[in-house]
Amino acid sequence: MIAATNITKRFGDFVALDDVSLEVPDGSLTALLGPSGSGKSTLLRIIGGLEAPDAGQVLINDRDATTTSPQRRGIGFVFQHYAAFKHMTVRDNVAFGLKVRKQPKARIKERVDELLGIVGLAGYAERYPSQLSGGQRQRMALARALAVEPEVLLLDEPFGALDARVRTELREWLRRLHEEVHVTTLLVTHDQEEAMSIADHIAVMDHGRIEQVGAPRDLYDQPANPFVMSFLGPVSKLGSKLVRPHDISLSQIAVEGAAQAMVSRIVHLGFEVRVDLMLAEGEAVEVQLTRHEADELELHVDDIVWLRSAGAPALSA
């Protein structure tokens, strides 16, 4: 387990972390999610020993690691840029940490072969990093981090430099890998879909503070405040309330308590239809419908409809 308690970090006058506390359960995959400048990478680096906090404490498996060097924390790191040794083969890159620790040659070969099999690079052992795709290089980086059997794995935007299709493939692969190796993992990302799809727990950060921690579905369905709600998915403002676009119902008949609006645009996105509307007060609202719902309504631009919240409880803006 990782426990960061009352962590504060300043860079000059800028407060990067303001009295932050976080627990990462044993064996979990927890995501630090937030916009640029929210403090998520700084918190990860403090946990890893790459930055020193101005105040607070870091415990790793009940050991005080606050002033311990990164090499002695039992941590594996993977960053956005994999920093591979270009002159070494994939096998030698993965084996590097084991060689530094002077492990027996037979043990090194066994461990490297095992990991290359796990990450799907068994047939690439004698290639060089330049001969791999971006996704393959990142899998090599993960194998290298896991080779020394770390107690904790820290991932800082590991898929940030990859294109959208490869990112999707790799995050699905990372989830499967985690289920196989069960190492306590902390992932930094600004990608909501990435965090929601692979993490057991998410800590949403903003301006150096943790706004809410919980399971992905709990955060989406029961956000603590407007920032969490808006950061974890699209929102529309209906009167004084924030509502998910898919939780707004449309009617072509006046309904008590509903708001009148005019259809300004209809966008078909496969199974989903996005309807942009303009309220009488001039505010724009977005509604998400299924294709079946849209077909039943037979909406057209300039139609007048009535809107009301029909799903989860709305949140005051």
Side-chain angles (χ1 to χ4, degrees):
M1 185 183 79
I2 303 168
T5 308
N6 305 121
I7 302 294
T8 295
K9 180 67 178 179
R10 295 180 178 85
F11 296 100
D13 294 332
F14 176 68
V15 180
L17 294 172
D18 185 9
D19 195 31
V20 167
S21 294
L22 174 70
E23 286 193 1
V24 179
D26 231 4
S28 73
L29 197 166
T30 297
L32 294 176
L33 175 66
S36 296
S38 60
K40 54 190 187 296
S41 288
T42 301
L43 180 56
L44 186 89
R45 291 173 65 83
I46 285 174
I47 289 170
L50 302 177
E51 296 280 358
D54 296 325
Q57 184 183 46
V58 175
L59 298 179
I60 297 176
N61 291 335
D62 297 322
R63 300 189 313 272
D64 187 347
T66 312
T67 59
T68 305
S69 69
Q71 295 82 3
R72 296 181 178 274
R73 294 194 184 200
I75 285 175
F77 293 95
V78 179
F79 299 100
Q80 180 173 331
H81 301 289
Y82 6 84
F85 297 110
K86 297 178 182 179
H87 64 288
M88 292 184 184
T89 62
V90 170
R91 175 180 296 281
D92 288 339
N93 265 281
V94 175
F96 181 77
L98 295 170
K99 290 179 178 178
V100 168
R101 287 163 176 78
K102 302 189 184 303
Q103 294 288 311
K105 288 184 178 180
R107 170 59 182 154
I108 292 174
K109 184 179 186 308
E110 178 186 14
R111 180 66 175 156
V112 171
D113 286 344
E114 175 191 8
L115 283 167
L116 290 179
I118 289 173
V119 302
L121 293 176
Y124 298 80
E126 304 311 320
R127 294 195 186 185
Y128 290 88
S130 62
Q131 297 173 303
L132 303 179
S133 67
Q136 288 168 337
R137 286 196 291 269
Q138 200 59 296
R139 282 189 280 163
M140 179 191 72
L142 278 160
R144 185 174 61 188
L146 290 168
V148 295
E149 300 181 83
E151 297 176 55
V152 171
L153 185 62
L154 302 181
L155 311 176
D156 193 358
E157 301 273 8
F159 309 138
L162 305 173
D163 65 53
R165 182 183 62 81
V166 176
R167 284 183 70 138
T168 300
E169 291 175 356
L170 275 185
R171 62 185 176 224
E172 291 172 358
W173 170 82
L174 177 61
R175 182 68 242 183
R176 293 194 301 271
L177 175 68
H178 182 262
E179 289 169 357
E180 187 166 345
V181 299
H182 292 295
V183 62
T184 303
T185 301
L186 187 59
L187 164 74
V188 163
T189 181
H190 64 269
D191 186 319
Q192 297 90 334
E193 184 178 342
E194 189 164 279
M196 297 284 284
S197 65
I198 65 175
D200 304 311
H201 305 277
I202 298 174
V204 181
M205 298 190 67
D206 187 39
H207 290 100
R209 301 185 69 89
I210 292 179
E211 298 290 339
Q212 189 174 3
V213 181
R217 183 170 180 177
D218 293 340
L219 267 60
Y220 188 85
D221 291 341
Q222 299 171 0
N225 55 46
F227 173 80
V228 174
M229 184 173 185
S230 60
F231 198 76
L232 283 178
V235 295
S236 289
K237 190 176 180 183
L238 205 53
S240 62
K241 302 290 185 180
L242 295 179
V243 187
R244 297 288 184 202
H246 54 73
D247 285 331
I248 298 175
S249 69
L250 295 186
S251 173
Q252 291 166 315
I253 301 171
V255 179
E256 185 178 353
Q260 189 180 50
M262 184 177 71
V263 177
S264 57
R265 189 176 182 221
I266 301 169
V267 181
H268 292 266
L269 302 167
F271 67 90
E272 176 189 309
V273 177
R274 191 184 74 203
V275 183
D276 296 335
L277 304 112
M278 189 69 67
L279 295 173
E281 299 81 10
E283 292 188 40
V285 174
E286 177 185 312
V287 176
Q288 291 175 351
L289 303 174
T290 65
R291 188 164 55 186
H292 176 69
E293 289 170 333
D295 288 346
E296 283 193 333
L297 288 166
E298 296 183 348
L299 294 173
H300 299 90
V301 172
D302 295 335
D303 281 357
I304 300 299
V305 294
W306 281 261
L307 319 178
R308 62 177 176 175
S309 176
L315 194 66
S316 295

